[in-house]
Amino acid sequence: MRLALLISLAAVTAGAGTALAQQRNAQPYREHVPYIDWKPDVTGDIQHTGTYQYWKDRKALNPDWVASKEHQWQLNWKFMDPSYDDTLHGGHIARDRGAALYKKLDAGGAFAACLGARNGDLKGLRANHYPQYSTALGRVVGLEEMIEHCAARQNVTLENGSYDNSAISVYVTEFSNGMPINIDVSKGPLKDAFERGRERFHLRNGATHFACATCHVTLVGRSLRGQVLTTPYGDAAHWPTYRTKDELQSLHVRFAECNRNAGAQPLRPGSPVYSDIEVFLTALSNGYPVDVPSARD
Amino acid sequence: MASPMKIRARMNGDAAQIRILAVHPMETGLRKDGAGKPIPAHYVQTLTVDVAGKRVARYEVGTSVSKNPLFGFRVRGVKAGDKVVASWVDNKGDTRTDEAVIE
């Protein structure tokens, strides 16, 4: 009797062990240390790197710091945004290209309505409404994903991450220039996306075993690959941006590049994981004004 | 038909900062397309800039210059309201002329 009981107990433990192993295989262990209590606001940088005061407004930018290599990262490269810098670059060409494409797509007014603009007014659309939960697509999407979706409804292929897609995004985003980013992540699908994005931000993966936070929290201000790492605050407000090495990049294309550099599998622009990270980073830009077409090295 | 240049000219102290962004593919002729066929050379050869009817700059441009090149310089002896006329000629004989006013 006792022996039978022991055997049955052993069988139960063995069964539990197999189930646990299967669960492990389904979700492999990956290191995840969320070591910052992130607040969805750009002023969180005051506690993080303490550089917010240097780039929060135009008057606070010290011209000596703009010229100094040691201090440029502390201004978070904001002096390369159009409201600080009157130079011309490929972003301006992209904006014109986006304007032409948008006029063609929005000939009947359906494209603007699909993007969520009231009476075709694009002002504040990027700053106040993106990323958002799309009832049409049933998930949280960024502006570029919505442009792809709305163009597809008119039988136009504008793949997320392509030059033309990002160009339209620059054009639409420009209407929000100067308006602070204002997305609400305190409830609903955006809250879930923010939580998932925060987890992804701290999740290590790839050959180098890096999380986003490894470089952009722990190593902020140090050099990596010839560039100085910046904070995640206020950064989402200037995308899509012109980059000297790759004409125009949307935020998701940049994520893919980051993944490649870290030896991780890059995902397609518009994938749910990238959208979650976009929500997280955009929330960290809450209160920081949109500024496009911008340039970064 | 070539795309228009973007020109920005602003007074800064006693000099004007003039920036010209030309939209041009600037093909060197050394690249090959996906099928392995060489892409023919197509690049800007000269760019001239006039301010108020007077020649202030003449660029000799070659294949070493990037796609969509940006030209910038400062010029004294001009004033706000002067007309800036920029014009390029490429190796296929195409030309493009654009105007702007110094702010």
Side-chain angles (χ1 to χ4, degrees):
Chain A
M1 183 65 196
R2 180 179 274 182
L3 190 68
L5 192 69
L6 267 176
I7 287 169
S8 66
L9 252 179
V12 166
T13 6
T18 328
L20 206 64
Q22 276 167 355
Q23 205 181 356
R24 279 217 188 102
N25 286 344
Q27 288 184 319
Y29 170 76
R30 284 204 267 170
E31 200 175 326
H32 169 244
V33 188
Y35 36 76
I36 278 200
D37 180 23
W38 296 99
K39 289 179 181 57
D41 198 290
V42 72
T43 51
D45 189 62
I46 294 167
Q47 286 90 36
H48 182 209
T49 56
T51 62
Y52 174 63
Q53 64 268 33
Y54 302 119
W55 45 266
K56 67 177 177 179
D57 66 55
R58 192 181 185 126
K59 288 186 193 107
L61 285 190
N62 183 343
D64 294 339
W65 280 36
V66 171
S68 151
K69 198 168 181 295
E70 295 88 74
H71 294 299
Q72 281 178 343
W73 73 273
Q74 286 173 294
L75 309 175
N76 223 357
W77 301 92
K78 294 294 180 275
F79 53 87
M80 289 174 87
D81 287 347
S83 60
Y84 300 97
D85 184 9
D86 67 348
T87 191
L88 290 163
H89 51 74
H92 294 90
I93 299 172
R95 191 259 322 274
D96 288 358
R97 169 104 181 126
L101 286 167
Y102 181 88
K103 283 200 181 72
K104 210 183 283 176
L105 280 168
D106 195 39
F111 189 69
C114 175
L115 287 179
R118 284 201 189 122
N119 305 325
D121 186 12
L122 296 173
K123 194 165 167 57
L125 191 68
R126 169 72 173 78
N128 298 324
H129 298 294
Y130 280 98
Q132 66 171 355
Y133 180 79
S134 160
T135 43
L137 290 166
R139 57 192 159 94
V140 174
V141 292
L143 180 55
E144 290 86 17
E145 186 68 3
M146 208 59 188
I147 288 170
E148 181 182 342
H149 167 69
C150 293
R153 278 171 54 158
Q154 303 187 24
N155 295 324
V156 178
T157 308
L158 272 178
E159 203 184 342
N160 192 346
S162 67
Y163 180 83
D164 285 350
N165 184 307
S166 303
I168 294 180
S169 178
V170 169
Y171 174 71
V172 174
T173 305
E174 204 195 18
F175 284 88
S176 300
N177 264 3
M179 300 173 74
I181 293 230
N182 176 26
I183 64 162
D184 184 7
V185 293
S186 64
K187 60 180 189 298
L190 277 184
K191 182 172 195 273
D192 300 339
F194 179 80
E195 297 295 337
R196 286 196 303 269
R198 180 170 65 179
E199 191 184 328
R200 278 283 164 177
F201 193 76
H202 290 281
L203 194 68
R204 288 172 177 270
N205 64 351
T208 49
H209 200 50
F210 277 174
C212 308
T214 313
C215 300
H216 292 285
V217 176
T218 318
L219 300 174
V220 159
R222 304 212 186 172
S223 275
L224 185 73
R225 296 169 66 95
Q227 291 172 319
V228 182
L229 295 158
T230 54
T231 78
Y233 289 98
D235 228 23
H238 71 252
W239 292 83
T241 191
Y242 171 74
R243 301 196 69 214
T244 46
K245 64 176 177 183
D246 184 11
E247 294 191 329
L248 186 72
Q249 278 192 340
S250 72
L251 200 52
H252 289 207
V253 175
R254 185 70 185 88
F255 292 158
E257 188 191 328
C258 236
N259 279 158
R260 265 197 302 279
N261 290 348
Q265 173 68 48
L267 305 174
R268 285 177 69 85
S271 71
V273 170
Y274 282 174
S275 297
D276 292 343
I277 301 175
E278 181 181 357
V279 170
F280 176 68
L281 289 181
T282 310
L284 293 189
S285 301
N286 263 347
Y288 190 79
V290 173
D291 224 351
V292 295
S294 61
R296 290 293 184 274
D297 57 347
Chain B
M1 185 61 196
S3 301
M5 278 178 265
K6 299 189 80 69
I7 305 174
R8 212 168 257 187
R10 279 180 188 156
M11 289 305 291
N12 185 2
D14 63 340
Q17 173 78 52
I18 296 177
R19 291 193 178 96
I20 297 156
L21 184 67
V23 181
H24 201 278
M26 299 298 284
E27 282 293 346
T28 61
L30 302 173
R31 294 204 311 152
K32 287 174 181 170
D33 63 10
K37 283 162 68 177
I39 302 170
H42 188 204
Y43 55 91
V44 173
Q45 285 185 317
T46 56
L47 174 92
T48 55
V49 187
D50 293 1
V51 177
K54 198 174 168 192
R55 178 69 42 93
V56 295
R58 181 169 184 277
Y59 288 86
E60 294 285 342
V61 187
T63 53
S64 65
V65 175
S66 78
K67 181 183 174 182
N68 298 340
L70 173 72
F71 305 92
F73 58 92
R74 282 161 63 80
V75 56
R76 283 205 182 83
V78 297
K79 59 184 186 304
D82 282 354
K83 196 158 80 170
V84 180
V85 181
S87 174
W88 56 250
V89 182
D90 71 15
N91 66 329
K92 290 187 177 176
D94 283 348
T95 180
R96 172 87 210 179
T97 306
D98 286 292
E99 293 176 5
V101 174
I102 298 179
E103 294 169 19

